[in-house]
Amino acid sequence: MSALPPPIEGKYMRIPATHPVVQVLNLRQSEGSLPGARTDGYRVGLVVEGGGMRGIISGAMMATLMDRQLEHSFDAIYAFSSGAINSAYFLAGLGWYALSIYYDNLLSRAFLDIRRILSGQSALSLDYAFDVVVETAKPLDYTTVLTSPIELHIAASSIQKLKPRIFTHFASKEDLKMELKASACIPLAAGDPIAYDGDHFLDGGLLLDHPLLPALEDG
């Protein structure tokens, strides 16, 4: 391995260069290393938690990675729930723009309205999130996500098999959209489980403690 470069200077703080993963990321950034064409022998995964509206935290962290031009330094992303949606926007090259969804678009009764429960509807509308926000208000470039050399692994909870299912290979925009939706279907709040591929799915965090686990299984 060549000599490590100095830590990257950011707007707000200096990244410590003591952790080996940080060293690899900094080296890749300085050398212009790209996923699929690495020469350092490492495989680095970015693990992204969900948590509904708490996804604004991981979203801000990913936007900061982009500020530091580290978005191409990863080989794979493992995520579920809102973290998976954040990851899709990250792969599409959208950072703070995507983060604005949380406060511009989701703080509305079109997305969350507990009064809908009185009429037998779900309080949280995934249809609004995916068919309005992701499609038109803050469009996600699905094509860029589908063609990204960085692997995207999305976890959802299979109701039929009662275990996590990891989606990795996406045949089309509709497949990716459904798998993102399945991974974000919060039990009860978002209504019925998402029917897809001969199964029904709920939020990935329901049966998977953390997306770190499939990342470790993949090495």
Side-chain angles (χ1 to χ4, degrees), residues 76-81 84 87 91 145-146 150-159 161 163-172 174-184 194-204 208 214 218:
I77 298 178
Y78 298 81
F80 58 45
S81 193
S87 299
L91 291 180
V145 180
L146 291 169
I150 299 176
E151 302 168 10
L152 177 59
H153 303 260
I154 300 173
S157 297
S158 166
I159 302 305
K161 297 182 179 180
K163 66 179 184 179
R165 178 171 170 182
I166 311 300
F167 296 101
T168 302
H169 303 291
F170 314 103
S172 66
E174 287 306 316
D175 277 342
L176 176 55
K177 182 177 179 179
M178 288 300 295
E179 290 156 14
L180 287 170
K181 195 172 184 179
S183 181
I194 302 299
Y196 175 71
D197 196 29
D199 202 342
H200 290 78
F201 296 93
L202 287 171
D203 189 284
L208 182 65
D218 277 356

Side-chain angles (χ1 to χ4, degrees), residues 31-97:
E31 292 183 343
S33 172
L34 295 175
R38 308 292 190 200
T39 58
D40 55 30
Y42 294 108
R43 178 171 164 80
V44 182
L46 178 61
V47 177
V48 190
E49 287 187 279
M53 291 296 284
R54 285 185 298 147
I56 194 170
I57 299 173
S58 64
M61 292 177 176
M62 298 176 88
T64 302
L65 287 174
M66 294 182 68
D67 283 350
R68 297 178 182 275
Q69 300 179 339
L70 291 170
E71 64 268 30
H72 300 299
S73 296
F74 299 93
D75 302 296
I77 298 178
Y78 298 81
F80 58 45
S81 193
S82 55
I85 301 170
N86 289 342
S87 299
Y89 276 99
F90 180 79
L91 291 180
L94 300 172
W96 297 106
Y97 167 85

Side-chain angles (χ1 to χ4, degrees), residues 52 81-82 85 110-114 116-117 120-130 180-195 201-204 206:
S81 193
S82 55
I85 301 170
F111 176 62
L112 178 61
D113 189 350
I114 60 174
R116 287 198 287 260
I117 298 175
Q121 298 176 296
S122 59
L124 189 153
S125 175
L126 288 180
D127 288 340
Y128 170 76
F130 282 92
L180 287 170
K181 195 172 184 179
S183 181
C185 186
I186 299 173
L188 300 179
D192 296 333
I194 302 299
F201 296 93
L202 287 171
D203 189 284
L206 182 64

Side-chain angles (χ1 to χ4, degrees), residues 85 88-92 94 97 133-136 138-143 145 173 176 180:
I85 301 170
Y89 276 99
F90 180 79
L91 291 180
L94 300 172
Y97 167 85
V133 179
V134 177
E135 287 287 346
T136 60
K138 299 286 170 61
L140 171 64
D141 184 352
Y142 282 97
T143 300
V145 180
K173 168 189 172 180
L176 176 55
L180 287 170

